[in-house]
Amino acid sequence: MSNFDDLKLSVEAISGGKNTVILDDAGMPSFMVMIPKLMCSALITGGSERPHPAFILGNTEYDKVYISKYINVVKNGRAYSLPMQDPAVGNGVGNAGGAKIDFDGAVSVCRAKGEGWGLTPFALYGAIALWCRKNGTIPHGNNYYGKDIDYPHETGVATFYDGDNIGRTATGSGPVTWYHDHSPNGIADLNGNVNEWTAGLRVKNGVLQFVPNADCMQSDCDMGETSAFWKENGTFSGTDYGTSSIGADYVFNGIVYKTAENITKESTARESLLKNVTSDLASAANTILKLYGLLPEDVSESYGNDIITMNNGIAEGVAIKGGTYARGRAAGIFSTNLSYLRTSDYRAVGFRSAYYGDI
């Protein structure tokens, strides 16, 4: 038995099958968390008995998918999920391996790993966040200079200093509360440390656009600015998701999702606590927004101080998730920022890869 087989079996045995190790087509390992198929009814009140969109790719329903356990690093132009590393971020900082970590760069180093690999879909972040909320395991994290702002005894291992303060911390170096299920088997660092690029959601001239479901994981899915894969009237699989999909008639304006005739162009970013975001849209459209973690079910403290940020005065804003080591209570698992350009190459933004395939 090879050393890799030993490692894979050990990781799966210790985690009860919740974690595994997957090789890319260069034969290099990544530590991954298995996410079993989640039904809409298990995540939001009144949800249908259909899989969450994150588990549908093309015409295929996935019984399980895999997300990087750790914020990724880059080696030889490929993304890897490894423990105790300085995360790869923009401007070639951290373990970026010389790669440019803007949106397109993050997509590229994930897909370079081979068939089935890609930048984690925004839809999957939404499903995981909703699962954490339902299970009472909203993760803590490095959101206040090496520690959690509300739990300052919780710290990680410093990999970068911002002046005299700790900035980034090593991947997975925090306590179990920094994992999505509050156990060593969970996904690390979804709160704080660095923001994370996501695939499949943007705002284009004030209009929310999706690559439907998890279709952004297709190797031929072009997510360039002018690509036809971005859908203003995306078809979400199954009639239970409703016919009023998010589309050209719907825009996000400041803190309210509105119809197009009510859009107001603005030149600065606006943000709102997620728990305060409202919608004027039809119920089916609102269901989709809730499934993606973009609209609250209720005004609840379970959303904490997570925020939605939007600038509809720019031509295109690509979604990032979470927050940085300096963002405090607004760096949580539901926080979404739609004001970053695809060319933004900042040391505050990293990423993680996902895998949709057999192992």
Side-chain angles (χ1 to χ4, degrees), residues 122-185:
F122 184 90
L124 185 55
Y125 281 94
I128 292 166
L130 291 170
W131 184 93
C132 293
R133 178 176 182 258
K134 289 292 187 182
N135 285 275
T137 59
I138 296 293
H140 309 170
N142 169 20
N143 54 41
Y144 194 66
Y145 301 101
K147 56 184 178 289
D148 188 283
I149 191 169
D150 291 316
Y151 306 92
H153 61 284
E154 297 183 1
T155 60
V157 176
T159 58
F160 165 77
Y161 280 82
D162 188 345
D164 294 331
N165 298 311
I166 295 175
R168 296 188 302 275
T169 50
T171 54
S173 65
V176 293
T177 50
W178 289 20
Y179 291 74
H180 90 285
D181 62 356
H182 289 195
S183 89
N185 303 322

CSV table of all heavy atoms in Angstrom, one decimal, residues 122-185:
chain,number,residue,atom,x,y,z
A,122,PHE,N,-20.4,29.8,-5.2
A,122,PHE,CA,-21.0,30.6,-4.2
A,122,PHE,C,-22.2,29.9,-3.5
A,122,PHE,O,-22.5,30.0,-2.3
A,122,PHE,CB,-21.5,31.9,-4.8
A,122,PHE,CG,-22.2,32.9,-3.8
A,122,PHE,CD1,-21.4,33.8,-3.1
A,122,PHE,CD2,-23.5,32.8,-3.5
A,122,PHE,CE1,-22.0,34.7,-2.2
A,122,PHE,CE2,-24.1,33.7,-2.6
A,122,PHE,CZ,-23.3,34.6,-1.9
A,123,ALA,N,-22.9,29.1,-4.4
A,123,ALA,CA,-24.0,28.3,-3.9
A,123,ALA,C,-23.6,27.4,-2.8
A,123,ALA,O,-24.4,27.2,-1.8
A,123,ALA,CB,-24.6,27.5,-5.0
A,124,LEU,N,-22.4,26.8,-2.8
A,124,LEU,CA,-22.0,25.9,-1.8
A,124,LEU,C,-21.7,26.6,-0.5
A,124,LEU,O,-22.0,26.1,0.6
A,124,LEU,CB,-20.8,25.1,-2.3
A,124,LEU,CG,-20.3,24.0,-1.3
A,124,LEU,CD1,-21.4,23.0,-1.0
A,124,LEU,CD2,-19.1,23.2,-1.9
A,125,TYR,N,-21.1,27.8,-0.6
A,125,TYR,CA,-20.9,28.6,0.6
A,125,TYR,C,-22.3,28.9,1.3
A,125,TYR,O,-22.4,28.8,2.5
A,125,TYR,CB,-20.3,29.9,0.3
A,125,TYR,CG,-18.8,29.9,0.1
A,125,TYR,CD1,-18.2,29.7,-1.2
A,125,TYR,CD2,-17.9,30.0,1.2
A,125,TYR,CE1,-16.8,29.7,-1.4
A,125,TYR,CE2,-16.5,30.0,1.0
A,125,TYR,CZ,-16.0,29.9,-0.3
A,125,TYR,OH,-14.6,29.9,-0.5
A,126,GLY,N,-23.3,29.1,0.4
A,126,GLY,CA,-24.6,29.4,1.0
A,126,GLY,C,-25.2,28.2,1.7
A,126,GLY,O,-25.8,28.3,2.8
A,127,ALA,N,-25.1,27.0,1.1
A,127,ALA,CA,-25.6,25.8,1.7
A,127,ALA,C,-24.9,25.5,3.1
A,127,ALA,O,-25.5,25.2,4.1
A,127,ALA,CB,-25.4,24.6,0.8
A,128,ILE,N,-23.6,25.7,3.1
A,128,ILE,CA,-22.8,25.5,4.3
A,128,ILE,C,-23.2,26.5,5.4
A,128,ILE,O,-23.4,26.1,6.6
A,128,ILE,CB,-21.3,25.5,4.0
A,128,ILE,CG1,-20.9,24.3,3.1
A,128,ILE,CG2,-20.5,25.5,5.3
A,128,ILE,CD1,-19.6,24.4,2.5
A,129,ALA,N,-23.3,27.7,5.0
A,129,ALA,CA,-23.7,28.7,6.0
A,129,ALA,C,-25.1,28.4,6.6
A,129,ALA,O,-25.3,28.5,7.9
A,129,ALA,CB,-23.7,30.1,5.4
A,130,LEU,N,-26.0,28.1,5.8
A,130,LEU,CA,-27.4,27.7,6.3
A,130,LEU,C,-27.3,26.5,7.2
A,130,LEU,O,-28.0,26.4,8.2
A,130,LEU,CB,-28.3,27.5,5.1
A,130,LEU,CG,-28.7,28.7,4.3
A,130,LEU,CD1,-29.4,28.3,3.0
A,130,LEU,CD2,-29.5,29.7,5.1
A,131,TRP,N,-26.5,25.5,6.9
A,131,TRP,CA,-26.4,24.3,7.7
A,131,TRP,C,-25.8,24.7,9.1
A,131,TRP,O,-26.3,24.2,10.1
A,131,TRP,CB,-25.4,23.3,7.0
A,131,TRP,CG,-25.3,22.0,7.8
A,131,TRP,CD1,-26.0,20.9,7.6
A,131,TRP,CD2,-24.4,21.7,8.8
A,131,TRP,NE1,-25.6,19.9,8.5
A,131,TRP,CE2,-24.6,20.4,9.3
A,131,TRP,CE3,-23.4,22.5,9.5
A,131,TRP,CZ2,-23.9,19.8,10.3
A,131,TRP,CZ3,-22.7,21.9,10.5
A,131,TRP,CH2,-22.9,20.6,10.9
A,132,CYS,N,-24.8,25.6,9.1
A,132,CYS,CA,-24.2,26.0,10.4
A,132,CYS,C,-25.3,26.7,11.2
A,132,CYS,O,-25.4,26.5,12.4
A,132,CYS,CB,-23.1,26.9,10.1
A,132,CYS,SG,-21.6,26.2,9.4
A,133,ARG,N,-26.1,27.6,10.6
A,133,ARG,CA,-27.1,28.3,11.3
A,133,ARG,C,-28.1,27.3,11.9
A,133,ARG,O,-28.5,27.4,13.1
A,133,ARG,CB,-27.8,29.3,10.4
A,133,ARG,CG,-29.0,30.0,11.0
A,133,ARG,CD,-29.6,31.1,10.1
A,133,ARG,NE,-30.6,31.8,10.8
A,133,ARG,CZ,-31.9,31.6,10.6
A,133,ARG,NH1,-32.3,30.7,9.7
A,133,ARG,NH2,-32.8,32.3,11.2
A,134,LYS,N,-28.6,26.3,11.1
A,134,LYS,CA,-29.6,25.4,11.6
A,134,LYS,C,-29.0,24.5,12.7
A,134,LYS,O,-29.8,24.1,13.6
A,134,LYS,CB,-30.1,24.5,10.5
A,134,LYS,CG,-30.9,25.2,9.5
A,134,LYS,CD,-32.3,25.6,10.1
A,134,LYS,CE,-33.2,26.1,9.0
A,134,LYS,NZ,-34.6,26.5,9.6
A,135,ASN,N,-27.7,24.2,12.7
A,135,ASN,CA,-27.1,23.3,13.7
A,135,ASN,C,-26.4,24.1,14.8
A,135,ASN,O,-25.8,23.4,15.7
A,135,ASN,CB,-26.1,22.4,13.0
A,135,ASN,CG,-26.8,21.3,12.2
A,135,ASN,OD1,-27.1,20.3,12.7
A,135,ASN,ND2,-27.0,21.6,10.9
A,136,GLY,N,-26.5,25.4,14.9
A,136,GLY,CA,-26.0,26.1,16.0
A,136,GLY,C,-24.5,26.1,16.1
A,136,GLY,O,-23.9,26.2,17.1
A,137,THR,N,-23.8,26.1,14.9
A,137,THR,CA,-22.3,26.0,14.9
A,137,THR,C,-21.7,27.1,14.0
A,137,THR,O,-20.8,26.9,13.3
A,137,THR,CB,-21.8,24.6,14.4
A,137,THR,OG1,-22.3,24.4,13.0
A,137,THR,CG2,-22.3,23.5,15.3
A,138,ILE,N,-22.3,28.3,14.1
A,138,ILE,CA,-21.7,29.4,13.3
A,138,ILE,C,-20.3,29.6,13.8
A,138,ILE,O,-20.0,29.7,15.0
A,138,ILE,CB,-22.5,30.7,13.6
A,138,ILE,CG1,-23.9,30.7,13.1
A,138,ILE,CG2,-21.7,31.9,13.0
A,138,ILE,CD1,-24.1,30.6,11.6
A,139,PRO,N,-19.3,29.5,12.8
A,139,PRO,CA,-17.9,29.4,13.2
A,139,PRO,C,-17.4,30.8,13.7
A,139,PRO,O,-17.7,31.8,13.2
A,139,PRO,CB,-17.2,29.0,12.0
A,139,PRO,CG,-18.1,29.4,10.8
A,139,PRO,CD,-19.5,29.3,11.4
A,140,HIS,N,-16.5,30.7,14.7
A,140,HIS,CA,-15.7,31.8,15.1
A,140,HIS,C,-14.5,31.9,14.2
A,140,HIS,O,-14.3,31.1,13.3
A,140,HIS,CB,-15.2,31.7,16.6
A,140,HIS,CG,-16.3,31.3,17.5
A,140,HIS,ND1,-16.1,31.0,18.9
A,140,HIS,CD2,-17.7,31.3,17.4
A,140,HIS,CE1,-17.2,30.7,19.5
A,140,HIS,NE2,-18.2,30.9,18.6
A,141,GLY,N,-13.5,32.8,14.4
A,141,GLY,CA,-12.4,32.9,13.6
A,141,GLY,C,-11.4,34.0,13.9
A,141,GLY,O,-11.6,34.8,14.8
A,142,ASN,N,-10.4,34.1,13.1
A,142,ASN,CA,-9.4,35.2,13.2
A,142,ASN,C,-10.0,36.4,12.5
A,142,ASN,O,-9.7,36.7,11.4
A,142,ASN,CB,-8.1,34.8,12.5
A,142,ASN,CG,-7.1,35.9,12.4
A,142,ASN,OD1,-7.2,37.0,13.0
A,142,ASN,ND2,-6.2,35.8,11.4
A,143,ASN,N,-10.8,37.2,13.3
A,143,ASN,CA,-11.4,38.4,12.7
A,143,ASN,C,-11.0,39.6,13.5
A,143,ASN,O,-11.5,40.7,13.2
A,143,ASN,CB,-13.0,38.2,12.8
A,143,ASN,CG,-13.5,37.9,14.1
A,143,ASN,OD1,-13.0,38.4,15.1
A,143,ASN,ND2,-14.5,37.0,14.2
A,144,TYR,N,-10.0,39.5,14.4
A,144,TYR,CA,-9.6,40.7,15.1
A,144,TYR,C,-8.1,40.5,15.5
A,144,TYR,O,-7.7,40.2,16.6
A,144,TYR,CB,-10.4,40.9,16.3
A,144,TYR,CG,-10.2,42.3,16.9
A,144,TYR,CD1,-10.6,43.5,16.2
A,144,TYR,CD2,-9.6,42.5,18.2
A,144,TYR,CE1,-10.3,44.7,16.8
A,144,TYR,CE2,-9.4,43.7,18.7
A,144,TYR,CZ,-9.8,44.8,18.0
A,144,TYR,OH,-9.5,46.1,18.5
A,145,TYR,N,-7.2,40.5,14.5
A,145,TYR,CA,-5.8,40.5,14.6
A,145,TYR,C,-5.3,39.3,15.4
A,145,TYR,O,-4.7,39.4,16.5
A,145,TYR,CB,-5.3,41.8,15.3
A,145,TYR,CG,-5.7,43.1,14.5
A,145,TYR,CD1,-6.8,43.8,14.9
A,145,TYR,CD2,-5.0,43.4,13.4
A,145,TYR,CE1,-7.1,44.9,14.1
A,145,TYR,CE2,-5.3,44.5,12.6
A,145,TYR,CZ,-6.4,45.3,13.0
A,145,TYR,OH,-6.8,46.4,12.2
A,146,GLY,N,-5.6,38.1,14.8
A,146,GLY,CA,-5.1,36.9,15.3
A,146,GLY,C,-6.0,36.2,16.3
A,146,GLY,O,-5.7,35.0,16.7
A,147,LYS,N,-7.1,36.8,16.7
A,147,LYS,CA,-8.1,36.2,17.6
A,147,LYS,C,-9.5,36.6,17.2
A,147,LYS,O,-9.7,37.3,16.3
A,147,LYS,CB,-7.8,36.8,19.0
A,147,LYS,CG,-7.8,38.3,19.2
A,147,LYS,CD,-7.5,38.7,20.6
A,147,LYS,CE,-7.5,40.2,20.8
A,147,LYS,NZ,-6.3,40.8,20.1
A,148,ASP,N,-10.4,36.0,17.9
A,148,ASP,CA,-11.8,36.3,17.6
A,148,ASP,C,-12.2,37.5,18.5
A,148,ASP,O,-11.9,37.5,19.7
A,148,ASP,CB,-12.7,35.1,17.9
A,148,ASP,CG,-14.2,35.3,17.5
A,148,ASP,OD1,-14.9,36.0,18.2
A,148,ASP,OD2,-14.5,34.7,16.5
A,149,ILE,N,-12.9,38.4,17.9
A,149,ILE,CA,-13.2,39.6,18.6
A,149,ILE,C,-14.1,39.4,19.9
A,149,ILE,O,-14.0,40.1,20.9
A,149,ILE,CB,-13.9,40.7,17.7
A,149,ILE,CG1,-14.0,42.0,18.4
A,149,ILE,CG2,-15.3,40.2,17.2
A,149,ILE,CD1,-14.4,43.2,17.4
A,150,ASP,N,-15.0,38.4,19.8
A,150,ASP,CA,-15.9,38.1,20.9
A,150,ASP,C,-15.3,37.0,21.9
A,150,ASP,O,-15.8,36.8,23.0
A,150,ASP,CB,-17.2,37.6,20.4
A,150,ASP,CG,-18.0,38.8,19.8
A,150,ASP,OD1,-18.0,39.9,20.3
A,150,ASP,OD2,-18.6,38.6,18.7
A,151,TYR,N,-14.3,36.3,21.4
A,151,TYR,CA,-13.7,35.2,22.2
A,151,TYR,C,-12.2,35.4,22.1
A,151,TYR,O,-11.5,34.6,21.5
A,151,TYR,CB,-14.1,33.9,21.7
A,151,TYR,CG,-15.6,33.7,21.6
A,151,TYR,CD1,-16.3,34.0,20.4
A,151,TYR,CD2,-16.4,33.3,22.7
A,151,TYR,CE1,-17.7,33.9,20.3
A,151,TYR,CE2,-17.7,33.1,22.6
A,151,TYR,CZ,-18.4,33.4,21.4
A,151,TYR,OH,-19.8,33.3,21.4
A,152,PRO,N,-11.6,36.4,22.8
A,152,PRO,CA,-10.2,36.8,22.6
A,152,PRO,C,-9.2,35.7,23.1
A,152,PRO,O,-8.0,35.8,22.7
A,152,PRO,CB,-10.1,38.1,23.4
A,152,PRO,CG,-11.2,38.1,24.3
A,152,PRO,CD,-12.3,37.4,23.6
A,153,HIS,N,-9.7,34.7,23.8
A,153,HIS,CA,-8.8,33.6,24.2
A,153,HIS,C,-8.6,32.7,23.1
A,153,HIS,O,-7.7,31.8,23.1
A,153,HIS,CB,-9.4,32.9,25.4
A,153,HIS,CG,-10.7,32.3,25.2
A,153,HIS,ND1,-11.9,33.0,25.1
A,153,HIS,CD2,-11.1,31.0,24.9
A,153,HIS,CE1,-12.9,32.2,24.8
A,153,HIS,NE2,-12.5,31.0,24.7
A,154,GLU,N,-9.4,32.8,22.0
A,154,GLU,CA,-9.3,31.9,20.8
A,154,GLU,C,-8.3,32.5,19.9
A,154,GLU,O,-8.6,33.6,19.3
A,154,GLU,CB,-10.6,31.7,20.2
A,154,GLU,CG,-11.7,31.0,21.1
A,154,GLU,CD,-13.0,30.7,20.4
A,154,GLU,OE1,-13.1,31.0,19.2
A,154,GLU,OE2,-13.9,30.2,21.0
A,155,THR,N,-7.2,31.9,19.6
A,155,THR,CA,-6.1,32.4,18.8
A,155,THR,C,-5.6,31.4,17.8
A,155,THR,O,-5.8,30.2,18.0
A,155,THR,CB,-5.0,33.0,19.6
A,155,THR,OG1,-4.4,31.9,20.4
A,155,THR,CG2,-5.4,34.1,20.6
A,156,GLY,N,-5.0,31.9,16.8
A,156,GLY,CA,-4.3,31.0,15.8
A,156,GLY,C,-2.8,31.3,15.8
A,156,GLY,O,-2.3,32.2,16.5
A,157,VAL,N,-2.1,30.6,15.0
A,157,VAL,CA,-0.6,30.7,14.8
A,157,VAL,C,-0.3,31.8,13.8
A,157,VAL,O,-0.8,31.6,12.6
A,157,VAL,CB,0.0,29.4,14.5
A,157,VAL,CG1,1.5,29.5,14.2
A,157,VAL,CG2,-0.2,28.3,15.6
A,158,ALA,N,0.4,32.8,14.1
A,158,ALA,CA,0.6,33.9,13.2
A,158,ALA,C,1.5,33.5,12.1
A,158,ALA,O,2.5,32.8,12.2
A,158,ALA,CB,1.3,35.1,14.0
A,159,THR,N,1.1,33.9,10.8
A,159,THR,CA,1.9,33.8,9.7
A,159,THR,C,2.3,35.1,9.0
A,159,THR,O,3.2,35.2,8.1
A,159,THR,CB,1.2,32.9,8.6
A,159,THR,OG1,0.0,33.5,8.2
A,159,THR,CG2,1.0,31.5,9.1
A,160,PHE,N,1.6,36.2,9.4
A,160,PHE,CA,1.9,37.5,8.9
A,160,PHE,C,1.5,38.6,9.9
A,160,PHE,O,0.4,38.4,10.6
A,160,PHE,CB,1.0,37.7,7.6
A,160,PHE,CG,0.9,39.1,7.1
A,160,PHE,CD1,1.9,39.7,6.5
A,160,PHE,CD2,-0.3,39.9,7.4
A,160,PHE,CE1,1.8,41.1,6.1
A,160,PHE,CE2,-0.4,41.2,7.0
A,160,PHE,CZ,0.7,41.8,6.3
A,161,TYR,N,2.3,39.6,10.0
A,161,TYR,CA,2.0,40.6,11.0
A,161,TYR,C,1.7,41.9,10.3
A,161,TYR,O,2.3,42.3,9.3
A,161,TYR,CB,3.3,40.9,11.9
A,161,TYR,CG,3.4,39.9,13.0
A,161,TYR,CD1,3.9,38.7,12.8
A,161,TYR,CD2,2.9,40.2,14.3
A,161,TYR,CE1,4.1,37.7,13.8
A,161,TYR,CE2,3.0,39.3,15.3
A,161,TYR,CZ,3.6,38.1,15.1
A,161,TYR,OH,3.7,37.2,16.1
A,162,ASP,N,0.6,42.6,10.7
A,162,ASP,CA,0.2,43.9,10.2
A,162,ASP,C,0.6,44.9,11.2
A,162,ASP,O,0.0,45.2,12.2
A,162,ASP,CB,-1.4,43.9,10.1
A,162,ASP,CG,-1.9,45.1,9.4
A,162,ASP,OD1,-1.1,46.1,9.3
A,162,ASP,OD2,-3.1,45.1,9.0
A,163,GLY,N,1.8,45.5,11.0
A,163,GLY,CA,2.4,46.3,12.0
A,163,GLY,C,2.8,45.5,13.2
A,163,GLY,O,3.5,44.5,13.1
A,164,ASP,N,2.4,46.0,14.3
A,164,ASP,CA,2.7,45.2,15.6
A,164,ASP,C,1.6,44.2,15.9
A,164,ASP,O,1.8,43.4,16.9
A,164,ASP,CB,2.7,46.2,16.8
A,164,ASP,CG,3.9,47.2,16.7
A,164,ASP,OD1,4.9,46.8,16.1
A,164,ASP,OD2,3.8,48.3,17.2
A,165,ASN,N,0.6,44.1,15.1
A,165,ASN,CA,-0.5,43.1,15.3
A,165,ASN,C,-0.4,41.9,14.4
A,165,ASN,O,0.1,42.0,13.3
A,165,ASN,CB,-1.9,43.8,15.0
A,165,ASN,CG,-2.1,45.0,15.9
A,165,ASN,OD1,-2.0,44.9,17.1
A,165,ASN,ND2,-2.5,46.1,15.3
A,166,ILE,N,-0.9,40.8,15.0
A,166,ILE,CA,-1.0,39.6,14.1
A,166,ILE,C,-2.0,39.8,13.0
A,166,ILE,O,-3.1,40.4,13.3
A,166,ILE,CB,-1.4,38.4,15.0
A,166,ILE,CG1,-0.4,38.1,16.0
A,166,ILE,CG2,-1.7,37.2,14.1
A,166,ILE,CD1,-0.7,37.0,17.0
A,167,GLY,N,-1.7,39.4,11.8
A,167,GLY,CA,-2.6,39.5,10.7
A,167,GLY,C,-3.1,38.1,10.4
A,167,GLY,O,-4.0,37.5,11.1
A,168,ARG,N,-2.6,37.5,9.3
A,168,ARG,CA,-3.1,36.2,8.9
A,168,ARG,C,-2.6,35.2,9.9
A,168,ARG,O,-1.5,35.3,10.5
A,168,ARG,CB,-2.6,35.9,7.5
A,168,ARG,CG,-3.2,36.7,6.4
A,168,ARG,CD,-2.8,36.2,5.0
A,168,ARG,NE,-1.4,36.2,4.8
A,168,ARG,CZ,-0.6,37.2,4.4
A,168,ARG,NH1,-1.2,38.4,4.2
A,168,ARG,NH2,0.7,37.1,4.2
A,169,THR,N,-3.3,34.1,10.0
A,169,THR,CA,-2.9,33.0,10.8
A,169,THR,C,-2.9,31.7,10.0
A,169,THR,O,-3.5,31.6,8.9
A,169,THR,CB,-3.9,32.7,12.0
A,169,THR,OG1,-5.2,32.7,11.5
A,169,THR,CG2,-3.7,33.8,13.0
A,170,ALA,N,-2.1,30.7,10.4
A,170,ALA,CA,-1.9,29.5,9.7
A,170,ALA,C,-3.2,28.8,9.5
A,170,ALA,O,-4.0,28.7,10.4
A,170,ALA,CB,-0.9,28.6,10.4
A,171,THR,N,-3.4,28.2,8.3
A,171,THR,CA,-4.6,27.5,8.0
A,171,THR,C,-4.9,26.3,9.0
A,171,THR,O,-4.0,25.5,9.3
A,171,THR,CB,-4.6,26.9,6.6
A,171,THR,OG1,-3.4,26.1,6.5
A,171,THR,CG2,-4.5,28.0,5.6
A,172,GLY,N,-6.1,26.4,9.6
A,172,GLY,CA,-6.5,25.3,10.5
A,172,GLY,C,-5.8,25.4,11.9
A,172,GLY,O,-5.9,24.4,12.7
A,173,SER,N,-5.1,26.5,12.2
A,173,SER,CA,-4.4,26.6,13.5
A,173,SER,C,-5.2,27.0,14.7
A,173,SER,O,-4.8,27.0,15.8
A,173,SER,CB,-3.2,27.5,13.3
A,173,SER,OG,-3.6,28.8,13.1
A,174,GLY,N,-6.5,27.4,14.4
A,174,GLY,CA,-7.3,27.9,15.5
A,174,GLY,C,-8.0,26.7,16.2
A,174,GLY,O,-7.9,25.5,15.9
A,175,PRO,N,-8.8,27.0,17.3
A,175,PRO,CA,-9.5,26.0,18.0
A,175,PRO,C,-10.7,25.4,17.2
A,175,PRO,O,-11.0,25.9,16.1
A,175,PRO,CB,-10.0,26.8,19.3
A,175,PRO,CG,-10.1,28.2,18.8
A,175,PRO,CD,-9.0,28.4,17.8
A,176,VAL,N,-11.4,24.4,17.8
A,176,VAL,CA,-12.4,23.7,17.0
A,176,VAL,C,-13.6,24.7,16.7
A,176,VAL,O,-14.3,24.4,15.7
A,176,VAL,CB,-12.9,22.5,17.8
A,176,VAL,CG1,-11.9,21.4,17.9
A,176,VAL,CG2,-13.5,22.9,19.2
A,177,THR,N,-13.8,25.7,17.5
A,177,THR,CA,-14.9,26.7,17.2
A,177,THR,C,-14.6,27.5,15.9
A,177,THR,O,-15.5,28.1,15.4
A,177,THR,CB,-15.1,27.6,18.3
A,177,THR,OG1,-13.8,28.2,18.7
A,177,THR,CG2,-15.7,26.9,19.5
A,178,TRP,N,-13.4,27.4,15.4
A,178,TRP,CA,-13.0,28.0,14.1
A,178,TRP,C,-13.4,27.1,12.9
A,178,TRP,O,-13.0,27.5,11.8
A,178,TRP,CB,-11.6,28.5,14.1
A,178,TRP,CG,-11.3,29.6,15.0
A,178,TRP,CD1,-12.0,30.0,16.1
A,178,TRP,CD2,-10.1,30.5,14.9
A,178,TRP,NE1,-11.3,31.1,16.7
A,178,TRP,CE2,-10.2,31.4,16.0
A,178,TRP,CE3,-9.0,30.5,14.1
A,178,TRP,CZ2,-9.2,32.4,16.3
A,178,TRP,CZ3,-8.0,31.5,14.3
A,178,TRP,CH2,-8.1,32.4,15.4
A,179,TYR,N,-13.9,26.0,13.2
A,179,TYR,CA,-14.4,25.1,12.1
A,179,TYR,C,-15.9,25.1,12.0
A,179,TYR,O,-16.6,25.4,13.0
A,179,TYR,CB,-13.9,23.6,12.4
A,179,TYR,CG,-12.4,23.4,12.4
A,179,TYR,CD1,-11.5,24.0,13.3
A,179,TYR,CD2,-11.8,22.7,11.3
A,179,TYR,CE1,-10.2,23.8,13.3
A,179,TYR,CE2,-10.5,22.6,11.2
A,179,TYR,CZ,-9.6,23.1,12.2
A,179,TYR,OH,-8.3,22.9,12.1
A,180,HIS,N,-16.4,24.8,10.8
A,180,HIS,CA,-17.8,25.1,10.5
A,180,HIS,C,-18.8,24.2,11.4
A,180,HIS,O,-19.9,24.6,11.6
A,180,HIS,CB,-18.1,24.9,9.0
A,180,HIS,CG,-18.5,23.5,8.6
A,180,HIS,ND1,-17.6,22.4,8.5
A,180,HIS,CD2,-19.7,23.0,8.3
A,180,HIS,CE1,-18.2,21.3,8.2
A,180,HIS,NE2,-19.5,21.6,8.0
A,181,ASP,N,-18.3,23.0,11.8
A,181,ASP,CA,-19.1,22.2,12.7
A,181,ASP,C,-18.7,22.1,14.1
A,181,ASP,O,-19.1,21.3,14.9
A,181,ASP,CB,-19.2,20.8,12.1
A,181,ASP,CG,-17.9,20.1,12.0
A,181,ASP,OD1,-16.8,20.7,12.4
A,181,ASP,OD2,-17.8,18.9,11.6
A,182,HIS,N,-17.8,23.0,14.5
A,182,HIS,CA,-17.2,23.1,15.8
A,182,HIS,C,-16.5,21.7,16.2
A,182,HIS,O,-16.6,21.3,17.4
A,182,HIS,CB,-18.2,23.5,16.8
A,182,HIS,CG,-18.6,24.9,16.7
A,182,HIS,ND1,-19.3,25.6,17.7
A,182,HIS,CD2,-18.5,25.8,15.8
A,182,HIS,CE1,-19.5,26.9,17.4
A,182,HIS,NE2,-19.0,27.0,16.2
A,183,SER,N,-15.9,21.1,15.2
A,183,SER,CA,-15.2,19.9,15.5
A,183,SER,C,-13.9,19.9,14.6
A,183,SER,O,-13.9,20.6,13.6
A,183,SER,CB,-16.0,18.6,15.2
A,183,SER,OG,-15.9,18.2,13.8
A,184,PRO,N,-12.9,19.0,14.9
A,184,PRO,CA,-11.7,19.0,14.1
A,184,PRO,C,-12.0,18.5,12.7
A,184,PRO,O,-11.1,18.6,11.8
A,184,PRO,CB,-10.8,18.0,14.8
A,184,PRO,CG,-11.3,18.0,16.2
A,184,PRO,CD,-12.8,18.2,16.1
A,185,ASN,N,-13.2,17.9,12.4
A,185,ASN,CA,-13.5,17.4,11.1
A,185,ASN,C,-14.1,18.4,10.2
A,185,ASN,O,-14.4,18.1,9.0
A,185,ASN,CB,-14.5,16.2,11.3
A,185,ASN,CG,-14.0,15.1,12.2
A,185,ASN,OD1,-12.8,14.8,12.1
A,185,ASN,ND2,-14.9,14.6,13.0
